[in-house]
Amino acid sequence: MTGFRSTAPPLADGDPRRHDPRRPRRPEWLAPAGLIALTLVPMAAGSSRLAQLGTGAEVTAENARFFDSPVPVIAHIVGSTVFLLLGALQFAPALRRRRWHRWSGRVVAPAGLVSAASGLWMAIAYDLPANSGLSLMLIRIVLGSAMAAAIVIAFLAIRRGDIRTHSAWMTRAYAIGLGAGTQVLTILPWALVVGEPGELEYTLLMALGWAINLAVAEVVIRRRERRGMFGPRPSGRADATASPDHRPTDAARLS
């Protein structure tokens, strides 16, 4: 797909969006590659679960809830995989400057809603797995609801042309959805050094994974603001109603 010409006015010398040739560029695919790497273990676990369901593996106490009600877990695995993989590519600047970003977003958002809704269903309807108690179930319910709400807010924002709000809330939704990837990094060291975590330790380590992701998301959101990624913040009106001289560039409009 070819690029397109921006109709935005040229950036002034002091504009933070103007690239300084003396400043080294970071590889633009570093962030998407890192995000995809974080999803590899959860995707492998999800693929293994789908294989068990598809081949009729032995039913155990650990997987009985999935065989009793397979639709929610299948929807969660498929929705989460699509959301995390395509969502990671949304962070690639080269793709944000192309129509692919907009069209793939129409897949990413529904996939995220499927992931959040099926996760909520499993948290409420499934029997609690080992090491999971009421506290972790409540955390899952709160964060699953927050993820779905963030996607809806982002969708409504992009419909009215508010790119800044859309980007911020999709970043927060992705941070919640990526929790399983970061939780591998919080739980595995504990299991290797201390042993299998108990219910309290497991809950805290799971919560830590989500907290890390959300903290990083807020850092990313604020860094975009400092860099002026979406142009000057309009006063009292959404981006779509800002004057032509203060609207975001075409590249930012797709971010």
Side-chain angles (χ1 to χ4, degrees):
M1 184 180 295
T2 60
F4 53 87
R5 183 177 300 173
S6 172
T7 59
L11 300 177
D13 290 340
D15 195 303
R17 291 169 289 166
R18 189 180 183 91
H19 174 65
D20 183 353
R22 295 169 298 180
R23 181 187 305 169
R25 285 182 179 271
R26 290 180 302 174
E28 64 177 29
W29 289 97
L30 185 60
L35 294 173
I36 291 174
L38 272 179
T39 69
L40 292 180
V41 173
M43 282 194 301
S47 299
S48 175
R49 185 72 66 196
L50 291 178
Q52 290 178 1
L53 293 173
T55 58
E58 179 184 358
V59 178
T60 65
E62 190 274 334
N63 64 20
R65 62 190 186 279
F66 302 129
F67 281 93
D68 291 341
S69 181
V71 173
V73 69
I74 293 173
H76 187 69
I77 293 170
V78 174
S80 298
T81 299
V82 173
F83 179 69
L84 293 177
L85 285 180
L86 288 183
L89 297 178
Q90 302 289 67
F91 290 89
L95 295 179
R96 282 204 302 268
R97 294 189 290 267
R98 299 177 182 270
R99 293 184 184 274
W100 183 92
H101 179 87
R102 181 178 297 174
W103 285 101
S104 65
R106 296 174 181 175
V107 177
V108 170
L113 290 176
V114 169
S115 173
S118 56
L120 283 169
W121 180 273
M122 292 191 296
I124 296 171
Y126 280 4
D127 293 334
L128 293 176
N131 294 344
S132 296
L134 180 61
S135 298
L136 183 55
M137 183 185 76
L138 293 176
I139 292 173
R140 285 186 167 126
I141 291 173
V142 169
L143 290 178
S145 301
M147 178 177 167
I151 294 173
V152 172
I153 293 172
F155 171 77
L156 296 176
I158 201 64
R159 292 289 294 174
R160 65 176 184 267
D162 187 351
I163 312 298
R164 178 181 286 103
T165 300
H166 167 78
S167 177
W169 283 100
M170 282 304 296
T171 300
R172 294 178 179 117
Y174 190 85
I176 296 173
L178 191 61
T182 309
Q183 284 154 0
V184 173
L185 303 180
T186 60
I187 294 175
L188 183 60
W190 180 284
L192 293 175
V193 175
V194 181
E196 186 71 19
E199 181 179 317
L200 175 60
E201 293 82 8
Y202 187 72
T203 299
L204 293 175
L205 293 170
M206 291 282 285
L208 178 61
W210 279 307
I212 290 172
N213 283 5
L214 288 170
V216 172
E218 293 305 318
V219 170
V220 171
I221 292 168
R222 281 155 178 72
R223 181 174 296 174
R224 291 171 184 164
E225 292 285 346
R226 290 196 302 270
R227 294 174 58 189
M229 182 173 176
F230 306 111
R233 178 182 291 276
S235 56
R237 294 186 295 176
D239 290 347
T241 60
S243 63
D245 290 340
H246 293 86
R247 290 180 182 173
T249 63
D250 287 346
R253 192 178 297 279
L254 297 179
S255 54

